[in-house]
């Protein structure tokens, strides 16, 4: 959709003026739907308003329509649950499509676009526009969706007006905001054109690079077979030319990739430790191959969730850790340290190696594109000199500055600080509170760096240093053992399984214990990977909250699991009431009772309230403490007796804070 800003703003302004003159809510909705059709060049449009009390989407026009969201179905149901927009360009054949919900008047629809209308994160309505087989044959695009987004704030006011029968907002109030949004869409259109050009460039370069690689390989084979020195010289020159083509195309691809990433990067909410540890762990196997001692430290105090430009941060860390790996000799050391600066809401990153080092005079030019410390660096180590320049630019984009400390033959440290938006300020790991423990780090190498690294981690988690011993044997009174692979024995494994002490095993090599059946059911972590989570969970006294989710809608289960991923919980799920009841009873029999159950109401075979009633009877029969039961159906028609069985009610669409607050409510009950 080619947008002319002035023309579009004028059309929108005219439509908004029409809306402001509407006599009643039905007329308002009809004029809004006319505006939506014109804005997105659609054949049909609907503005649904969400009634939270009745858990219902409805639209107020001559064709009054109500869609119950108690049992969520269809494409509109998925958008309702996820609170995310969606485009369906082959509507009727999509797996989410349910005709009663998505095409209630049975029009010949080809494609559909839906956008949730959110006010401060809460769903207040949904916009749905559709194109028919005989109407506009173009596919919906990201640009169409952004056109809808441009009037979201206006739609919020319209919905509020309809709900409360207030005066309609004036067109002057909305004109400037809409114009600003549409100008942004125009900019995005330019980005799309850039993307097409970069894609063409990348494909062309790739087509050159592939035969160049093959040519280099054949020339290398030919060089080995030729005895005549003069001929061999010509072949060597040709081989170097093929190698130069490969280097040049690599540089072009890196530049194109950098340009593309700059256009698509955006801030995303992440679970901090999971995101950072996954990046760090991607180098574990390579470090092992080179016998590099790789230490990954992420501060336990780092907030659970932050918002950051994930693509740029990931590229920075991959470039810097990759460089450290490249320039660090065999059997040397690399430290990745990630700290939290609470006073400035900043994350502090450091990648330090004991590699070849960089002379002072060469350090400044490292951050310039296509520059390397020495002229022969490329021949020895490879690379184009683009990585650090790109990383420095990305660090600057994120609000920091990439810095370097280095000494020849001692090593280098690249470091930077970046501000982040905090979503959940809770520390990623709770401090140890039960300190009545004796921890033995069991190894034959008591002075080695890795056991000392683990001891320091335990101290950061809150364990006093005098409670930790690095030793080659287990002493009396030991409560926890962190055992390196060289010390594993049948006796230690048996004691661990009998819970004489809590046992954590550390593999010498990645997956070296994978096929050892004797270590089944014992927690294992590996050297050269992120160990913080394994260390904390093996020592921490807090019991994981056991949760069961019973819902026949897989989207609901997936959403709840993702919202609870940062909590110290263990989650199970099933899709029908009878199976849920069976799982609750079996957990009691196995001595692993669930603490919390999230229950939907309308499920095949057995309703959620029937399940809970049966389990409450079971609890009384065996004198069990009652499970903490949460209704997630949002059903307003539950009877008083049915409602009394539940401890809390969480309505759809789910709110992350409400879902997580359940854990705190359970702990404080």
């Amino acid at each position: 959709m080619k947008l002319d800003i002035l023309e579009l703003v004028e059309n929108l302004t005219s439509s908004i003026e029409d809306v402001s003159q509407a006599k009643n809510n039905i007329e308002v909705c009809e004029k809004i739907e006319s505006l939506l059709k014109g804005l997105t060049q659609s054949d049909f449009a609907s503005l649904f308003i969400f009634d939270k009390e009745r858990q219902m989407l409805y639209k107020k026009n001559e064709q009054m329509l109500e869609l119950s969201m108690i049992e969520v179905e269809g494409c509109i149901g998925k958008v309702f649950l996820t609170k995310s927009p969606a485009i369906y360009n082959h509507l009727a054949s999509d797996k989410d499509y349910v005709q009663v919900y998505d095409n209630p008047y049975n029009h010949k629809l080809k494609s559909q676009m839906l956008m949730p209308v959110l006010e401060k994160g809460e769903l207040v309505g949904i916009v749905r526009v559709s194109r028919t087989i005989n109407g506009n044959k173009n596919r919906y695009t990201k640009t169409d969706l952004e056109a809808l987004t441009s009037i979201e704030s206006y739609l919020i006011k319209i919905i509020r007006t309809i709900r409360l029968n207030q005066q309609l907002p004036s067109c002057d109030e909305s004109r400037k905001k809409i114009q600003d949004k549409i100008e942004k869409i125009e900019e995005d259109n330019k980005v799309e054109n850039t993307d097409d050009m970069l894609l063409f460039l990348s494909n062309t370069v790739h087509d050159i690079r592939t035969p160049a690689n093959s040519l280099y390989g054949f020339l290398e084979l030919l060089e080995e077979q030729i005895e005549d020195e003069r001929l061999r010289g010509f072949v060597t020159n040709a081989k170097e030319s093929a190698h130069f083509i490969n280097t040049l195309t690599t540089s072009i691809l890196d530049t194109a990739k950098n340009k593309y990433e700059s256009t698509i990067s955006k801030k995303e909410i992440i679970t901090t430790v999971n995101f950072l540890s996954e990046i760090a762990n991607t180098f574990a196997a390579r470090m092992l191959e080179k016998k590099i001692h790789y230490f990954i430290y992420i501060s336990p105090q780092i907030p659970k969730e932050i918002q950051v430009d994930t693509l740029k941060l990931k590229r920075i860390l991959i470039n810097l850790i990759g460089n450290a790996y490249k320039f660090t000799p065999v059997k040397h050391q690399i430290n990745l340290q990630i700290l939290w600066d609470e006073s400035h809401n900043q994350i502090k990153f450091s990648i330090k190696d004991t590699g070849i080092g960089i002379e002072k005079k060469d350090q400044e030019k490292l951050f310039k594109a296509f520059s390397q410390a020495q002229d022969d660096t490329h021949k020895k180590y490879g690379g184009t000199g683009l990585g650090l320049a790109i990383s420095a630019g990305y660090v600057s984009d994120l609000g920091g500055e990439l810095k370097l400390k280095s000494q020849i033959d001692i090593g280098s440290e690249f470091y930077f600080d970046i501000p982040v938006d905090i979503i959940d300020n809770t520390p990623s790991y709770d401090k140890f509170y039960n300190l009545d423990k004796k921890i033995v780090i069991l190894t034959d190498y008591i002075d080695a760096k890795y056991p000392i690294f683990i001891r320091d981690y335990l101290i950061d988690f809150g364990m006093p240093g005098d409670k930790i011993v690095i030793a080659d044997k287990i002493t009396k009174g030991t409560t926890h053992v962190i055992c390196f692979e060289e010390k594993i024995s049948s006796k230690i494994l048996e004691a661990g399984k009998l819970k004489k002490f809590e046992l954590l095993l550390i593999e010498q090599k990645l997956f070296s214990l994978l096929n050892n059946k004797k270590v089944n059911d014992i927690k294992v972590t590996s050297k050269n990977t992120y160990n913080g989570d394994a260390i904390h969970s093996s020592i921490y006294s807090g019991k994981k909250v056991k949760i069961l989710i019973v819902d026949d809608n897989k989207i609901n289960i997936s959403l709840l699991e993702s919202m609870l991923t940062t909590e110290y919980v263990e989650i199970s799920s099933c899709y029908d009431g009878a199976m849920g009841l069976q799982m609750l009873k079996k957990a009691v029999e196995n001595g692993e009772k669930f603490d919390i159950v999230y229950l939907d109401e309308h499920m095949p075979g057995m309703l959620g309230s029937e399940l809970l009633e049966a389990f409450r009877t079971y609890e009384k029969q065996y004198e069990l403490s009652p499970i903490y039961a949460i209704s997630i159906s949002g059903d307003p028609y539950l009877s008083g007796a049915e409602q009394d069985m539940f401890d809390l009610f969480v309505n759809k669409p789910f709110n992350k804070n409400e879902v997580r607050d359940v854990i705190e409510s359970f702990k404080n009950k």
Side-chain angles (χ1 to χ4, degrees), residues 500-530:
K500 291 183 178 178
F501 45 70
E502 292 295 325
L503 180 60
L504 171 65
L505 304 178
I506 298 184
E507 296 175 314
Q508 188 66 24
K509 298 179 180 178
L510 198 62
F511 306 128
S512 56
L513 294 175
L514 185 64
N515 297 318
N516 187 339
K517 293 180 181 178
K518 292 180 180 179
V519 305
N520 286 354
D521 303 322
I522 296 176
K523 191 183 287 290
V524 177
T525 187
S526 300
K527 282 181 68 177
N528 280 10
T529 63
Y530 173 66

Side-chain angles (χ1 to χ4, degrees), residues 352-381:
K352 190 174 185 179
D353 63 61
T354 57
I356 60 174
I358 304 160
E359 287 190 28
K360 189 74 175 174
K361 65 182 178 66
D362 295 321
Q363 289 179 21
E364 275 190 26
K365 70 178 183 180
L366 276 180
F367 299 117
K368 296 176 183 176
F370 305 107
S371 295
Q372 293 182 318
Q374 301 290 338
D375 293 338
D376 63 348
T377 299
H378 168 69
K379 291 181 182 179
K380 286 183 181 178
Y381 300 101

